[in-house]
Amino acid sequence: MTGAEGPTYTVDDALVALGFGNFQILVLVYAGVGWVSEAMEMMLLSFVGPAVQAAWSLSPREESLITSVVFAGMLIGAYSWGIVSDIHGRRKGFLITATVTAIAGFLSAFAPNYILLIALRSLVGVGLGGGPVLSSWFLEFVPAPNRGTWMVAFSAFWTLGTIFEASLAWIVMPKLGWRWLLALSSLPTSFLLLFYKVTPESPRYLCLKGRTADAINVLEKIARVNGRELPSGTLASDHEIELEKIDNPSEDARLLSPRTNEIEHPIGMASNLGGISSLLVLLSPKLARSTILLWAVFFGNAFSYYGLVLLTTELNGHSKCMSNKLQTEKSQGVRYQSVFIASFAEVPGLLLAAVAVDKLGRKLSMSTMFFICCIFLLPLIFYLPEGLTTSLLFLARICITATFTIVYIYAPEMYPTSVRTTGVGIASSVGRIGGMICPLVAVGLVHGCHQTAAVLLFEIIALLSGICVMFLPIETMGQELQDSVQV
């Protein structure tokens, strides 16, 4: 499209011209470290719960609450930080989340009693709720043709975090105890704070907010680092109403007709009006079906994923429904080994997602993996030998890692820039509800000798999640990101 002063180009055009180069690699590493730290904080729950339970003689309900409060915090955090980053910028969003996570995570290692530990872990959860902000931030620097592949690469950092945490627990827990594990696991988040000053704001976000000059500065920096040239012409937003207040003739020339602007203004700019307006956009006729189905998928994904992590320790520890007193140090050693082995299931899960996401598409990949997961879980309704139990959980976790990876690619692609982090944040919050309920089921039912009921519940939830994916209206593979809701 050409304006009064010549041709114009969008952020998408610029990113395609600049390609995926060294600049995006640096953004990937920074966002990836945030993902590593979140994975570590989540994985440690399966080790800290049993250790604190033994040290402080907690009931099964009190033990499961240590995990549930983290998810409760994440529920609040995911919603809050999504809105903050849609209104005030992606950088501010992850600065606050990293600060809260690092401080609360480190202090929880020194908690003198159960109440204070619960309070600090819930604060860690509030900080961890900002995970979707980092994924959206990274996504907005990636050219459309490479998006699926590089978002899988981003997800690999989660796998790295889970394996690293399982290794750390295996080394630290037997000799130094759970407090050292909590302290050491909080350190990667500090890296985000250390290099925060050099992180760029998303050019897509800047352009949407009418800060075109700032967006051009970021794009010029990408061009320098990648050794490429920006397209000729003037940068313009996909939906010019966002640039209405900018006194710039080259952009004013690109404004849509007044009648069109009047229609698009309320939805395109909703994120400026606060959380309630953003939520109304997500539930508007254009997005309502996608949003509700996505919430169901996130719930099922989180419930299944964290359920499999917890079942790895719980089924092996209670396969004969033994009491805690009968669990020797040897069985504790086996527990670390089982979790360590199961965490490696994330590697083939990621590879599977990388192959499927741009070949089969987002929807078919997710639904297929959910259904295959159900097949692997089914034999676990019976008490099986430990090796076979670990193998089946390993295979099920491959599938659920793939769906988890793909849904975190699909969700930000589905929403427009104006409500992207709010949309992914709220969906992630709904997932946290699944994660919150899950420990009560995985720990409570298995401890109460109801393994069959626990596994059947996971079966039903994975099956329903797969069905919900099939009904999602949009396939985002190869599509350009939208800036505002199309009316």
Side-chain angles (χ1 to χ4, degrees):
M1 189 169 175
T2 56
E5 295 187 9
T8 57
Y9 62 90
T10 64
V11 172
D12 263 319
D13 298 332
L15 290 174
V16 170
L18 298 174
F20 193 101
N22 292 336
F23 188 94
Q24 281 90 345
I25 295 288
L26 294 170
V27 171
L28 172 63
V29 170
Y30 185 88
V33 170
W35 218 225
V36 164
S37 66
E38 179 163 345
M40 288 176 69
E41 290 286 358
M42 295 312 304
M43 269 299 290
L44 68 78
L45 297 172
S46 58
F47 302 113
V48 169
V52 174
Q53 191 266 337
W56 291 349
S57 304
L58 305 178
S59 69
R61 180 164 289 187
E62 286 172 323
E63 180 196 337
S64 60
L65 197 61
I66 295 169
T67 299
S68 292
V69 293
V70 177
F71 286 105
M74 289 174 93
L75 193 151
I76 298 161
Y79 176 69
S80 308
W81 307 135
I83 291 166
V84 166
S85 66
D86 273 338
I87 296 171
H88 300 291
R90 312 313 192 210
R91 290 179 79 245
K92 281 198 180 74
F94 60 71
L95 170 66
I96 303 165
T97 64
T99 306
V100 172
T101 306
I103 294 170
F106 189 72
L107 289 178
S108 63
F110 302 95
N113 55 49
Y114 177 73
I115 298 295
L116 206 57
L117 179 67
I118 288 289
L120 286 165
R121 294 314 294 171
S122 62
L123 270 179
V124 169
V126 171
L128 290 176
V133 176
L134 277 169
S135 60
S136 294
W137 176 69
F138 171 63
L139 178 83
E140 290 174 2
F141 283 97
V142 183
N146 307 107
R147 221 164 44 218
T149 306
W150 285 109
M151 286 305 285
V152 172
F154 171 70
S155 301
F157 283 91
W158 179 281
T159 301
L160 194 67
T162 60
I163 293 170
F164 184 68
E165 186 64 27
S167 312
L168 193 66
W170 205 357
I171 297 162
V172 171
M173 287 287 282
K175 293 177 183 174
L176 300 172
W178 62 271
R179 291 184 186 277
W180 274 93
L181 185 68
L182 284 175
L184 292 170
S185 299
S186 69
L187 294 180
T189 317
S190 311
F191 176 90
L192 297 181
L193 300 174
L194 205 61
F195 292 95
Y196 173 75
K197 282 203 167 183
V198 297
T199 58
E201 183 55 273
S202 157
R204 185 180 291 280
Y205 167 84
L206 291 169
C207 200
L208 176 73
K209 294 297 177 186
R211 294 164 58 186
T212 319
D214 292 335
I216 290 168
N217 286 339
V218 174
L219 291 170
E220 284 172 348
K221 196 179 290 183
I222 298 172
R224 279 198 304 276
V225 175
N226 287 2
R228 295 282 191 88
E229 292 288 324
L230 276 171
S232 58
T234 310
L235 177 65
S237 170
D238 287 343
H239 296 270
E240 296 302 333
I241 191 64
E242 271 81 32
L243 303 177
E244 197 170 43
K245 294 180 182 177
I246 300 294
D247 185 21
N248 187 325
S250 65
E251 277 138 26
D252 287 345
R254 289 259 297 156
L255 283 174
L256 304 174
S257 68
R259 188 176 171 187
T260 311
N261 290 348
E262 283 164 21
I263 295 168
E264 293 201 356
H265 184 275
I267 293 180
M269 295 299 284
S271 63
N272 287 330
L273 306 175
I276 299 299
S277 296
S278 297
L279 185 59
L280 291 175
V281 174
L282 298 177
L283 295 172
S284 65
K286 276 280 180 182
L287 291 176
R289 182 179 159 193
S290 296
T291 294
I292 290 162
L293 286 169
L294 194 69
W295 288 354
V297 175
F298 263 87
F299 179 93
N301 232 323
F303 191 97
S304 306
Y305 179 85
Y306 295 115
L308 290 173
V309 171
L310 291 167
L311 284 178
T312 306
T313 57
E314 296 301 332
L315 289 187
N316 287 329
H318 294 82
S319 57
K320 298 278 188 288
C321 239
M322 60 180 87
S323 70
N324 285 341
K325 290 178 184 174
L326 294 174
Q327 290 183 44
T328 60
E329 279 185 28
K330 186 181 175 188
S331 74
Q332 283 289 338
V334 168
R335 176 179 288 182
Y336 297 131
Q337 188 180 347
S338 298
V339 176
F340 183 73
I341 292 166
S343 64
F344 271 94
E346 306 220 350
V347 177
L350 271 173
L351 294 173
L352 200 59
V355 170
V357 73
D358 282 329
K359 295 250 170 66
L360 301 177
R362 281 48 162 163
K363 286 173 59 182
L364 184 58
S365 304
M366 276 193 282
S367 56
T368 306
M369 288 300 109
F370 271 124
F371 297 144
I372 296 173
C373 179
C374 290
I375 295 167
F376 290 135
L377 282 178
L378 199 57
L380 294 174
I381 60 175
F382 307 107
Y383 291 110
L384 300 171
E386 189 179 300
L388 187 54
T389 300
T390 303
S391 300
L392 287 166
L393 287 169
F394 184 92
L395 292 167
R397 188 150 161 195
I398 288 174
C399 299
I400 218 70
T401 298
T403 62
F404 213 93
T405 303
I406 297 164
V407 81
Y408 266 102
I409 296 168
Y410 179 83
E413 288 180 334
M414 189 187 83
Y415 287 121
T417 305
S418 55
V419 289
R420 182 166 296 122
T421 55
T422 303
V424 179
I426 294 174
S428 185
S429 286
V430 175
R432 303 317 174 195
I433 298 170
M436 232 162 47
I437 298 166
C438 178
L440 303 171
V441 177
V443 179
L445 286 178
V446 177
H447 274 252
C449 291
H450 300 299
Q451 179 173 320
T452 302
V455 173
L456 280 174
L457 185 61
F458 285 112
E459 284 279 314
I460 292 163
I461 285 174
L463 185 66
L464 290 175
S465 301
I467 293 166
C468 285
V469 171
M470 292 170 72
F471 284 100
L472 282 164
I474 306 164
E475 173 55 69
T476 59
M477 181 172 68
Q479 301 295 311
E480 285 194 353
L481 297 179
Q482 296 297 313
D483 278 344
S484 298
V485 181
Q486 302 278 350
V487 181

